[in-house]
Structure formats: C-alpha cells, structure tokens
C-alpha cells in the first residue's frame, strides 16, 4: 500500500496516549512512529500527537482545542447527531479487563458526555497519567475496529460482544461493550484464543469471516 494510497490525505491522531516523553518506551507515539509512520509518506504536518512537555491536564485541554479547530474548518468531519468529531476510523485494542483507549471499568470518565478528550491520573495499569478520547467521540466514528488477541482477553470478549453475556460487568461497566457506534460500523478482529469463550453460534460466524 505504500505506493497505491494517497497518503497526503491521511491525518493521524491518538485515541489515547500515555503522559510520557515521545521517546519513552511506553509512548504510543513512539510505537506508532517506529512501526508505521516512519514507513509511509504521511505528511509530518498531518500527524497530531499530544504535547509531552505539558501536564496531563493541559495536554488533554490542548489536544481537544486542536481537534475542535480542525472540526471547525472541516478537516475532521462532524457528527450530525451530537456535534462530536466524526473520525473516518478509530483503531482500538482491548485489555483483559475490557478497557478500550484509556477508558477503564467503573471509571468516572465513562460518564462524560460533553468532553471530547479527558485525562486520568489513576490508571490501574502503568503509567498512571493518560489522555483519552471519550465514549461520545469514539462512538461517533464512521468505522471502529477493535483488535484483540490472546487467551487472557477471551472472557472480556465474551462479555463485550455476546448477546447472552450476563453478570454485573457485562452491560453497564465494561468499556468495550459500551463501544456502540451511533452512525457507523464496528468490526472486531480476534484470533482463535481471544474468541475461545464465545458461544457456538458466534464461533461459526467468526469462522466464516476468517475463511473469507
């Protein structure tokens, strides 16, 4: 795809980021730069990373301001239903606890309605300080892809997507289950291990998709 895509049309943002320096081993920017951005001709001016010299609160505020300005000039589309930015694609992974982006189970950030970007200082996984898209922004995207692998994710996958998932975690406090696009498409990409707790009907569906 390096030669066949019009990379000048690509704009890159981070749905969540750790409040660490860009050259830090846990920086999502560094991981993305090394694994993707350094290998394709996306314009440097189209890559929007957070300010790693600011406090996590200021970084979140600045990031939301930048995105609001890009929505204002329609570089980023806008959702007709809630005025949130409408990204073409939001790519997520899911933790074994069911978190997506930096939205963790039972965290107050899950309740935010008006903020586009928020920050946390108490992540249950290190590092503790992070910025993250909120659920209204994630759910406003045209396409959402959740990529999940490994045995340790299988129960969270079951709780997130199975129609017959039950228990206190499933409907209300599992962030991955709360990813429900308002006017877009959600696709899960699972390996066999991550899908191992799904019921037989869902297993058959995933097998058919895998064959294609």
């Amino acid at each position: 795809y390096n030669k066949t895509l019009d990379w000048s049309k690509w704009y890159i943002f981070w749905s969540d980021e750790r409040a660490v320096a860009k050259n830090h081993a846990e920086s999502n920017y560094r991981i993305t730069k090394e694994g993707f951005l350094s290998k394709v001709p996306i314009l440097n001016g189209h890559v929007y990373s957070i300010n790693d010299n600011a406090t996590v609160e200021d970084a979140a505020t600045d990031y939301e301001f930048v995105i609001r300005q890009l929505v204002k000039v329609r570089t980023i589309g806008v959702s007709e239903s809630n005025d949130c930015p409408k990204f073409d694609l939001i790519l997520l992974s899911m933790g074994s606890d069911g978190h997506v982006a930096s939205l963790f189970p039972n965290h107050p950030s899950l309740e935010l309605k008006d903020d586009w970007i928020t920050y946390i200082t108490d992540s249950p996984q290190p590092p503790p300080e992070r910025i993250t898209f909120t659920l209204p922004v994630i759910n406003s995207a045209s396409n959402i892809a959740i990529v999940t692998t490994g045995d340790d994710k299988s129960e969270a996958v079951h709780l997130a997507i199975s129609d017959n998932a039950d228990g206190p975690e499933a409907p209300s406090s599992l962030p991955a289950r709360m990813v429900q696009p308002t006017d877009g498409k959600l696709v899960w990409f699972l390996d066999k291990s991550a899908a191992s707790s799904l019921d037989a009907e869902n297993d058959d569906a995933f097998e058919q998709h895998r064959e294609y």
Side-chain angles (χ1 to χ4, degrees), residues 16-20 24-28 31 95-97 99 101-102 104 120-131:
D16 73 317
E17 179 59 287
R18 290 83 176 263
V20 295
H24 193 281
E26 293 181 308
S27 165
N28 284 334
I31 294 169
S96 58
D97 60 353
H99 85 267
S102 283
F104 292 90
I120 62 174
T121 59
D122 56 353
S123 168
Q125 300 178 11
E129 295 188 340
R130 302 160 177 239
I131 67 101

Side-chain angles (χ1 to χ4, degrees), residues 11-40 42-53 63 102 127 129-131:
Y11 291 79
I12 303 294
F13 303 84
W14 276 261
S15 58
D16 73 317
E17 179 59 287
R18 290 83 176 263
V20 295
K22 285 185 172 64
N23 61 357
H24 193 281
E26 293 181 308
S27 165
N28 284 334
Y29 172 85
R30 175 179 173 175
I31 294 169
T32 309
K33 180 78 171 177
E34 292 178 350
F36 175 48
L37 295 177
S38 64
K39 303 179 187 302
V40 294
I42 294 175
L43 300 175
N44 289 334
H46 289 184
V47 177
Y48 292 87
S49 56
I50 72 167
N51 181 358
D52 58 335
N53 292 316
Y63 209 47
S102 283
E129 295 188 340
R130 302 160 177 239
I131 67 101

Side-chain angles (χ1 to χ4, degrees), residues 94 96 148-166 174 177 190-204 206:
M94 184 191 69
S96 58
T148 304
T149 62
D151 289 329
D152 60 323
K153 313 289 179 57
S154 62
E155 183 57 26
V157 167
H158 169 72
L159 291 173
I161 67 177
S162 291
D163 292 337
N164 61 355
D166 52 19
L174 197 76
R177 193 175 178 91
L190 307 172
D191 67 358
K192 188 172 183 179
S193 296
S196 61
S197 292
L198 296 173
D199 58 43
E201 180 179 351
N202 279 336
D203 278 343
D204 290 342
F206 278 107

